[in-house]
Amino acid sequence: MPSESAKKRQAQKKERERQRQKQTSAKKKQKAEEQVNGASGGVDGNECSEGACAAAPGAVTPSEDDAKVKSKPVDKKSAARSCTGVLASHPLSRDIHINRLSITFHGVELLSDTGLELNIGRRYGLVGLNGSGKSTLLDALGNREVPIPPNMDIFHLTEEVAASDMTPLQCVMEVDEERLRLETEAETLMKLSGDMESERLQDIYERLDELDAATAETKAARLLHGLGFSPEMQQRPCKDFSGGWRMRVSLARALYVKPTLLLLDEPTNHLDLDACVWLEEELKKYKRILVMVSHSQDFMNGVCTNVIHLHKNTLVYYRGNYDAYVKTRSELEEHQMKRYNWEKDQMQHMKDYIARFGHGSAKLARQAQSKEKVLAKMVAGGLAEKVVSDKLVQFSFPDCGSVPPPVIMVQNVSFR
Ligand SMILES: Nc1ncnc2c1ncn2[C@@H]1O[C@H](COP(=O)(O)OP(=O)(O)OP(=O)(O)O)[C@@H](O)[C@H]1O
């Protein structure tokens, strides 16, 4: 039996949901009226750059989402990609499980009939050889080219915010869009499941509380400060900043939005050491799903709870951070190599025996036949593959000698 306080809490939640639904309908009505009157300007030049917006698509009802996908211009990269897979997790779950995932890019198969498993609360480091397809996988996820439920919100950090007149603070605080999206999603979930207690609904309510306008500015300013923006810089127009700094604004937006699935490709690329340290601490606390590619092993060690290794067109999962992955992988490979050598010796031994005694006396021939059966069984049961070390490329740079000063001289140069 639920306690009195639990009943009270539930009643409060229901009331809150009713209020929200009312507000959402009112907002939608207003928006529709504005569109009829031609008052809605749509996306102007001051909005976030296209990549980031497209990568954080509104997680709305399936039909609205479909419409968005259809109206989204197909970029060259996604046109060159082909993805197939089957959603195995429940559409309302906060985990993503996709079976038989295959991705082809420019006719080359990067993933072949593999499984993608992303669970809520985990922070995955995606590793693999250069060119194995890590960025392509993130792009495919960010573009929803794989069957991710439409109610799952995704932010894929792809581009810096536009060089507009908006300040970094304003860019980060564009929260109304998210609030409206979450309210619509809550409404959809209620219609689909009718379960007020569903995990996703609770998550949405928490997020809506977090988006409280009274504290929005403080939160946005905290994120920007962590990424190196002084209070004065936070008030300057974005067009005054270089691409690298505008990328930091994009990163702050991603952290502000806190999507269910956050995709980051080399997030430390534009950061100095202080900002890297701050970001590591921030991502360590990320409670939803993070999938990140990073060349920095230290950073991955600090942030990741799991590692996904893109290896031979499949995704292999490891628990723990980067160091744990290296250790476990090396132990597994050592074991695999031992098994490979043992099987190779056994098979050679049996083959020799069969060749030598297969046509001998009846007794020896019978033994040879029995060895043949064992051999066939071993092959049918699957043999251990030989471990092949990752391809390493080594560069050597010849000594160029010393260059007499001045190496470089810059005079009367300004930077905007
Ligand atoms: N424009 C293109 N035309 C043909 N093949 C391409 C093109 N762009 C990328 N590729 C190939 O697609 C594959 C996957 O590239 P992707 O960038 O996803 O790999 P990655 O694992 O992220 O690599 P890195 O670690 O170097 O960033 C690579 O083998 C690459 O050579």
Side-chain angles (χ1 to χ4, degrees):
M1 281 287 282
S3 68
E4 275 307 306
S5 63
K7 276 186 199 161
K8 212 169 158 187
R9 267 204 312 277
Q10 205 157 335
Q12 279 172 347
K13 263 185 217 159
K14 279 187 184 156
E15 182 52 31
R16 207 159 44 155
E17 166 62 6
R18 260 197 296 278
Q19 290 301 330
R20 281 207 171 107
Q21 286 192 3
K22 255 194 224 165
Q23 283 170 6
T24 312
S25 314
K27 273 185 204 166
K28 274 186 185 166
K29 205 171 152 195
Q30 192 189 346
K31 214 172 173 187
E33 278 169 10
E34 278 173 5
Q35 273 167 356
V36 170
N37 297 334
S40 174
V43 177
D44 63 29
N46 289 346
E47 294 274 340
C48 64
S49 62
E50 194 216 329
C53 276
V60 286
T61 58
S63 57
E64 282 174 81
D65 197 64
D66 285 351
K68 275 193 174 184
V69 170
K70 276 171 202 149
S71 65
K72 210 161 60 177
V74 180
D75 66 59
K76 269 190 193 164
K77 273 186 162 184
S78 53
R81 260 190 314 264
S82 128
C83 310
T84 54
V86 182
L87 182 69
S89 47
H90 190 280
L92 296 181
S93 159
R94 292 197 301 159
D95 299 332
I96 305 169
H97 293 186
I98 294 170
N99 287 345
R100 296 165 58 196
L101 176 64
S102 298
I103 299 183
T104 307
F105 189 40
H106 286 283
V108 177
E109 193 157 59
L110 299 173
L111 285 181
S112 166
D113 204 6
T114 190
L116 178 75
E117 268 194 30
L118 302 174
N119 293 325
I120 198 81
R122 306 238 169 110
R123 300 181 292 276
Y124 299 87
L126 179 59
V127 299
L129 289 179
N130 290 127
S132 56
K134 302 180 294 294
S135 302
T136 306
L137 174 60
L138 292 195
D139 287 345
L141 290 170
N143 267 335
R144 293 176 182 272
E145 290 163 27
V146 292
I148 294 180
N151 58 297
M152 176 87 59
D153 56 321
I154 307 174
F155 196 112
H156 180 201
L157 183 60
T158 51
E159 284 179 5
E160 63 271 21
V161 297
S164 67
D165 285 324
M166 278 175 94
T167 66
L169 201 56
Q170 284 168 336
C171 277
V172 178
M173 280 176 54
E174 283 179 321
V175 287
D176 272 342
E177 198 183 324
E178 191 198 357
R179 196 196 313 267
L180 192 64
R181 174 173 62 72
L182 289 172
E183 283 167 350
T184 315
E185 189 187 342
E187 202 184 329
T188 313
L189 284 174
M190 277 302 289
K191 270 188 212 150
L192 286 174
S193 73
D195 177 12
M196 284 289 297
E197 299 301 310
S198 91
E199 265 190 355
R200 178 66 191 141
L201 260 182
Q202 294 307 316
D203 194 38
I204 291 175
Y205 290 144
E206 254 176 48
R207 182 71 190 131
L208 282 168
D209 287 343
E210 277 174 22
L211 290 176
D212 177 9
T215 57
E217 188 167 335
T218 320
K219 281 179 200 157
R222 184 188 76 80
L223 293 170
L224 285 167
H225 177 75
L227 290 167
F229 288 83
S230 65
E232 181 270 321
M233 286 165 83
Q234 292 178 21
Q235 301 295 344
R236 263 198 255 156
C238 279
K239 65 182 182 194
D240 282 2
F241 291 101
S242 67
W245 280 93
R246 281 187 279 118
M247 197 70 191
R248 293 187 189 210
V249 180
S250 256
L251 186 52
R253 278 180 63 96
L255 296 171
Y256 191 91
V257 167
K258 279 196 192 157
T260 309
L261 177 58
L262 175 58
L263 306 168
L264 300 178
D265 201 342
E266 298 289 2
T268 58
N269 267 4
H270 302 276
L271 306 181
D272 54 28
L273 188 61
D274 283 344
C276 279
V277 172
W278 178 86
L279 182 63
E280 189 179 315
E281 290 307 312
E282 194 65 18
L283 291 178
K284 257 183 204 172
K285 294 180 270 177
Y286 204 72
K287 289 193 191 127
R288 296 177 170 90
I289 306 173
L290 167 70
V291 184
M292 131 182 131
V293 175
S294 174
H295 64 271
S296 166
Q297 298 174 5
D298 280 346
F299 193 74
M300 284 217 276
N301 273 334
V303 173
C304 298
T305 57
N306 296 68
V307 167
I308 305 175
H309 183 203
L310 203 170
H311 184 58
K312 291 187 176 171
N313 308 109
T314 55
L315 299 172
V316 187
Y317 296 82
Y318 294 84
R319 283 212 191 104
N321 63 11
Y322 186 82
D323 281 349
Y325 148 75
V326 172
K327 189 167 175 276
T328 314
R329 188 180 162 198
S330 129
E331 283 166 5
L332 287 173
E333 286 184 348
E334 197 185 319
H335 180 73
Q336 184 181 334
M337 205 56 209
K338 270 188 193 156
R339 200 177 138 200
Y340 170 82
N341 285 329
W342 180 84
E343 283 174 347
K344 203 173 102 181
D345 288 349
Q346 288 289 311
M347 285 169 69
Q348 193 55 51
H349 180 72
M350 283 190 268
K351 278 180 189 167
D352 288 347
Y353 192 94
I354 294 163
R356 216 165 137 202
F357 302 114
H359 303 289
S361 68
K363 191 180 163 198
L364 288 173
R366 259 201 315 280
Q367 279 181 355
Q369 271 174 5
S370 137
K371 289 208 187 297
E372 228 167 287
K373 276 184 196 158
V374 175
L375 193 64
K377 216 171 164 185
M378 266 177 87
V379 175
L383 298 171
E385 273 184 44
K386 187 177 179 182
V387 175
V388 183
S389 318
D390 285 345
K391 213 168 36 182
L392 278 181
V393 182
Q394 284 195 332
F395 296 94
S396 60
F397 298 96
D399 184 10
C400 62
S402 54
V403 183
V407 176
I408 187 166
M409 194 188 284
V410 179
Q411 283 180 327
N412 299 326
V413 171
S414 60
F415 174 74
R416 268 180 67 83

